[in-house]
Amino acid sequence: MAFIFSTNLGRGLFGKGRRSVSGHRTVVRMAATGPMGFIGLGIMGYPMAQNLINGGGELVVWNRSTEKSADLADKNPGKVTVVESPKEVIERCDITFSMLSTPQAVEAIYFGSGDKSALEGVSKGKRIVDCSTLTQEASQASADAVAERGGLFLEAPVSGSKVPAETGNLIFLCGGDKSTFDIIENELSLMGKKSFFLGPCGSGTRMKLVVNMIMGSMMAALSEGIALAEATDLDGQTLLDVLDLGAMANPLFKMKGGNMLTDKRNYAPHFPLEHAQKDMRFACSLADQAEVQMPVASAANQLFISARSQGFSREDLSAVIEALRTKQ
């Protein structure tokens, strides 16, 4: 597989995508010898697949909702082949990415679709790159099942939500087969700004859960701060301005805070709250296994659970603040 690395200074063949000194993304283009597979075209998967196409790739895709697959094909004439099963994707491609929303979806598509399941398409040398966020046990089960059929498995969960997926600024946290990581480094650079290989299968998943545990705890703390400020006749936007000027300034608060204020309450889903709570739950379970106490994360998880019970599961994770506004 050859790759053309393009900048405003000209073109040449390079082995790795990168950013310019100014911080702007240079363009990595692929001249692939064959199509890649992509399974799962949801909030994250669709823009990830689009970025692979933008880099010159051709894709074979499957999604539970056929409308998403058809839309991607319509927007990219001649670049997308839509097939009828996960099995067919993997049979047609040497490398297949999957981006599925829940462990239940992974279980159904990898193991539970009978003779059309993803695993039925795996044969010697096929490479599976799973970008879903699972438990380490579930990720290892997928890796073992792929290996039993002669394939190679790389877990590659991402840090980032809808906008980073659209702009190619995800962070990939990888574990498993190192040769697969090395081979797809350019593809990862089309979809993300940085990729880490962290070791055996399970290490990427553990890092993702730790990262999302911290994010969920931060969102819970910001929710409490905004709720307390507004309840004591302080201006919520002024609170956000103060935070942004000090040591607690961070992109998460800047991106989410304004939409959490009482007069905005805009929770269009970039990272659905139900998925954030799932990751918090998995992180708490991981902490139990490691015998690590996490009182802050455990309390934050309870706030997310409360928001889910009040009907905010499909809203953005920033809707966790509504658990504090609703009278119990």
Side-chain angles (χ1 to χ4, degrees):
M1 190 178 292
F3 300 88
I4 300 173
F5 180 81
S6 172
T7 71
N8 59 356
L9 299 177
R11 294 184 177 183
L13 292 178
F14 288 76
K16 188 176 182 180
R18 62 195 71 152
R19 291 177 183 272
S20 64
V21 173
S22 66
H24 296 293
R25 175 177 291 279
T26 52
V27 179
V28 181
R29 294 202 176 274
M30 303 184 305
T33 57
M36 292 170 293
F38 210 105
I39 297 172
L41 299 173
I43 290 175
M44 301 292 290
Y46 190 106
M48 291 167 66
Q50 184 62 64
N51 281 330
L52 290 173
I53 296 168
N54 292 345
E58 296 182 8
L59 299 184
V60 177
V61 305
W62 179 87
N63 189 64
R64 286 182 294 182
S65 167
T66 56
E67 290 83 2
K68 289 288 189 72
S69 301
D71 183 69
L72 187 68
D74 289 345
K75 289 180 178 177
N76 300 278
K79 295 291 186 179
V80 176
T81 300
V82 180
V83 296
E84 296 184 355
S85 69
K87 174 186 176 182
E88 192 173 351
V89 174
I90 294 173
E91 285 180 332
R92 289 186 177 217
C93 304
D94 292 334
I95 300 170
T96 297
F97 293 86
S98 64
M99 183 50 140
L100 303 170
S101 58
T102 65
Q104 292 77 17
V106 172
E107 175 76 18
I109 289 166
Y110 274 70
F111 298 92
S113 302
D115 61 1
K116 295 183 178 182
S117 72
L119 286 173
E120 289 297 318
V122 177
S123 57
K124 185 175 177 59
K126 297 288 187 181
R127 298 178 186 271
I128 309 299
V129 183
D130 191 354
C131 301
S132 313
T133 300
L134 308 170
T135 63
Q136 59 180 343
E137 293 83 4
S139 188
Q140 187 62 59
S142 295
D144 291 343
V146 169
E148 286 175 3
R149 291 161 174 78
L152 300 162
F153 182 86
L154 183 75
E155 61 176 4
V158 300
S159 179
S161 57
K162 181 181 178 182
V163 171
E166 291 172 342
T167 58
N169 282 299
L170 297 171
I171 301 167
F172 287 88
L173 307 171
C174 303
D177 183 64
K178 180 62 161 58
S179 69
T180 298
F181 176 80
D182 293 338
I183 286 171
I184 66 167
E185 195 170 4
N186 284 275
E187 283 90 344
L188 295 180
S189 72
L190 288 166
M191 297 183 287
K193 62 182 178 181
K194 183 70 175 178
S195 302
F196 293 88
F197 184 79
L198 299 166
C201 185
S203 54
T205 292
R206 293 193 299 276
M207 182 65 80
K208 172 63 185 293
L209 295 179
V210 170
V211 169
N212 278 17
M213 174 203 73
I214 295 170
M215 177 176 65
S217 298
M218 290 172 64
M219 287 304 304
L222 179 62
S223 296
E224 291 185 344
I226 292 174
L228 181 58
E230 291 183 336
T232 56
D233 297 324
L234 295 172
D235 179 64
Q237 184 58 57
T238 302
L239 168 65
L240 296 175
D241 292 341
V242 172
L243 291 174
D244 196 47
L245 291 169
M248 288 179 285
N250 67 79
L252 181 66
F253 288 2
K254 194 176 186 70
M255 179 170 50
K256 301 292 186 183
N259 287 334
M260 297 166 67
L261 302 177
T262 299
D263 61 345
K264 297 288 181 63
R265 300 172 84 161
N266 177 8
Y267 307 123
H270 289 227
F271 181 31
L273 188 145
E274 62 184 348
H275 297 164
Q277 192 275 315
K278 172 205 68 174
D279 294 350
M280 293 289 286
R281 173 166 57 88
F282 288 168
C284 289
S285 177
L286 181 63
D288 288 342
Q289 295 174 36
E291 298 183 348
V292 175
Q293 294 186 355
M294 295 202 307
V296 173
S298 296
N301 184 42
Q302 291 303 313
L303 192 65
F304 277 89
I305 290 172
S306 179
R308 291 193 67 176
S309 72
Q310 294 168 33
F312 294 99
S313 289
R314 300 295 178 88
E315 304 291 343
D316 189 73
L317 84 161
S318 53
V320 68
I321 192 173
E322 295 300 326
L324 300 171
R325 289 176 171 149
T326 302
K327 299 297 184 181
Q328 300 296 319

